[in-house]
Amino acid sequence: MAEVLVVVEASPSGVKKVTLEMLTLARSLGLGDVAAVVLGGEGAAAGVVDKLGEYGAAKVYAAESAELTEYLVAPKATVLANLITQVSPAAVLLPSSQEGKEIAGRVAVKLDNGLLTDVVAVEADGTATQVVFAGSTIVKSKVTKGLPIVTVRPNSLTPAPSPVTPVVEPVAVSVEKRDLLAKIVERKVEAKGARPELAEASVVVSGGRGVGSADNFKLVEELADLLGGAVGASRAAVDSGFYPHQFQVGQTGKTVSPQLYVALGISGAIQHRAGMQTSKTIVAVNKDAEAPIFELADFGVVGDLFKVVPQAAEEIRKR
Ligand code: FAD
C-alpha cells in the first residue's frame, strides 16, 4: 500500500504544529501508512522522531546532510523529488509556509506533476479545499496530472495524537550541481520571548491603528500576557511603526486560528480577516459600531479600547 508523505517543518525548539496537523490529515485520508520526511542537517531526525511517532508517523525518512541546511531550498526539492520517484507515494503534504510552497513548486516542476497550495482540507480521492482571494472564496480542486502534491495551511485542523513507534529509514542525499548555486551566508534567529509563537498560539490579542502608538501597544501586550497569548498586529499598525512586521496578521502576514482572537482597534479589512477569520471565538473592541470587524465577531464591545482593555485586565486579574 502506498504511503502518504508528510514533509516535516521544525524549528530549533522542535516539530512545528503544522507538521502535527499534516500527520493528522494524512491519517484521515486512509490511503496508506503515514511517513514523515525530514530534510535537514546531520542528526536532524533524531530530535523529532518521537514526536512524529506520537502523531502517527509509522516511518520517518531521514535525509540528513549539511547541503540541506547550508543552501536554499533547491537541494531539499531534489531530494524530495527523488524520494517520490523511488517510493511512489499516494500523496505528498507540505506546509503552506514560504519554504514549503517553494519546495512543493520545484518538486511539481521536476516531476511534471500538478500542485495545490493553501489547502485547508483534503478528501481521500485527492479533492482539496483551497481558500483564495484573501479568504473570500473557497475552491475545491484536484490534481489532474500525477499524485496529489498539496501544501497545507497552518491551523486548518486540530492535531490528534495516534502513537506508533516509527521506523527510521535513511535517505541518500544526492543533489545536483545547479542546486548549490545560492548558499546561506548568515542566519539570524529572532530572540524567543516568553509569549507563544503567533501562528501556533491558542490565544491571540491583536492591535490595530486604533491603538495609536508603539508605546500604547503595552496595553495589547498586557492583555495578551494575562491570557497567556501571543500579540498580533494589523498591517496599518505595522506600517505605522507600532509593532514589528513579524507579528502582522493577515493576507500579507501570518495566518492564525486560535481558540480566542481579540481585535483591539482593528477595523476588519478583508486582508486582515484573511489571516484570522477561522479563529474559534473572535472578540472585537472598536469605538465605531459600524466597523466591519463586528460582522465577524462573536462578542463585540463598542467603546474606547483605552477604557475597555484596562477594565477587562482588572477583571481577569481578580480571577
Ligand atoms: P484602520 O482601518 O485604520 O482601523 C482602525 C480602527 O480602530 C477603526 O475601526 C477605528 O474605529 C478603531 N479605533 C480607533 N481608535 C480607537 C479606540 N480608541 N478604541 C477602539 N477602537 C478605535 N492588513 C492587515 O491587517 N494584514 C494584512 O496582511 C494586510 N495585507 C494587505 C495586502 C494588500 C495587498 C492590501 C492592499 C492591504 C493589506 N492590508 C492588510 C491592509 C488592510 O486593507 C487595512 O488597511 C488594514 O488592515 C487596516 O488596519 P486597521 O484595522 O488597524 O486600521
Side-chain angles (χ1 to χ4, degrees):
M1 207 179 182
E3 294 163 324
V4 178
L5 297 187
V6 170
V7 177
V8 174
E9 188 160 275
S11 68
S13 53
V15 174
K16 287 206 176 174
K17 191 169 142 222
V18 65
T19 303
L20 310 180
E21 293 169 16
M22 290 189 294
L23 291 171
T24 306
L25 176 62
R27 289 195 331 258
S28 75
L29 297 177
L31 295 174
D33 273 351
V34 174
V37 184
V38 175
L39 302 163
E42 296 295 343
V48 292
V49 164
D50 289 350
K51 194 71 176 178
L52 299 172
E54 201 180 317
Y55 285 81
K59 192 186 282 176
V60 174
Y61 287 108
E64 299 175 324
S65 159
E67 284 157 340
L68 297 176
T69 53
E70 287 174 5
Y71 291 83
L72 297 179
V73 293
K76 292 184 179 179
T78 295
V79 173
L80 182 60
N82 289 344
L83 182 66
I84 293 171
T85 309
Q86 203 183 311
V87 303
S88 302
V92 182
L93 308 182
L94 300 99
S96 241
S97 58
Q98 203 179 334
E99 180 174 289
K101 283 202 258 193
E102 194 173 340
I103 296 173
R106 286 170 181 264
V107 168
V109 169
K110 281 174 189 288
L111 301 178
D112 195 17
N113 195 104
L115 164 68
L116 299 171
T117 57
D118 286 329
V119 163
V120 294
V122 186
E123 290 158 38
D125 69 353
T127 305
T129 307
Q130 287 168 292
V131 178
V132 298
F133 298 136
S136 63
T137 306
I138 308 271
V139 176
K140 294 239 182 197
S141 26
K142 217 170 167 178
V143 166
T144 52
K145 180 151 189 243
L147 72 156
I149 297 180
V150 168
T151 75
V152 180
R153 251 170 92 140
N155 298 312
S156 300
L157 72 155
T158 308
S162 175
V164 288
T165 306
V167 174
V168 179
E169 193 170 310
V171 173
V173 174
S174 157
V175 298
E176 296 158 19
K177 211 169 164 194
R178 61 179 180 171
D179 294 334
L180 306 179
L181 297 179
K183 191 169 184 171
I184 295 168
V185 289
E186 190 186 359
R187 197 177 255 123
K188 271 193 190 159
V189 181
E190 294 290 341
K192 195 179 175 335
R195 297 190 187 102
E197 224 233 292
L198 181 56
E200 309 203 335
S202 54
V203 175
V204 175
V205 181
S206 287
R209 201 191 323 250
V211 173
S213 71
D215 207 36
N216 289 346
F217 248 79
K218 285 190 191 123
L219 203 63
V220 182
E221 291 182 332
E222 192 187 341
L223 186 60
D225 290 342
L226 280 170
L227 296 168
V231 175
S234 72
R235 176 157 158 181
V238 169
D239 287 351
S240 307
F242 299 169
Y243 222 64
H245 176 257
Q246 75 206 72
F247 298 100
Q248 183 178 313
V249 172
Q251 184 186 335
T252 43
K254 299 239 163 86
T255 301
V256 300
S257 190
Q259 295 298 319
L260 174 64
Y261 187 87
V262 183
L264 305 174
I266 293 176
S267 59
I270 186 167
Q271 296 90 352
H272 186 77
R273 291 176 184 217
M276 47 66 75
Q277 62 194 353
T278 55
S279 304
K280 305 298 170 293
T281 302
I282 297 169
V283 176
V285 181
N286 196 303
K287 64 181 184 186
D288 175 9
E290 303 295 319
I293 191 77
F294 288 126
E295 294 161 14
L296 201 64
D298 300 286
F299 300 96
V301 181
V302 180
D304 184 342
L305 71 93
F306 298 105
K307 289 190 181 137
V308 176
V309 176
Q311 284 175 32
E314 201 183 316
E315 280 304 314
I316 295 166
R317 264 191 221 99
K318 283 186 200 160
R319 288 164 198 224

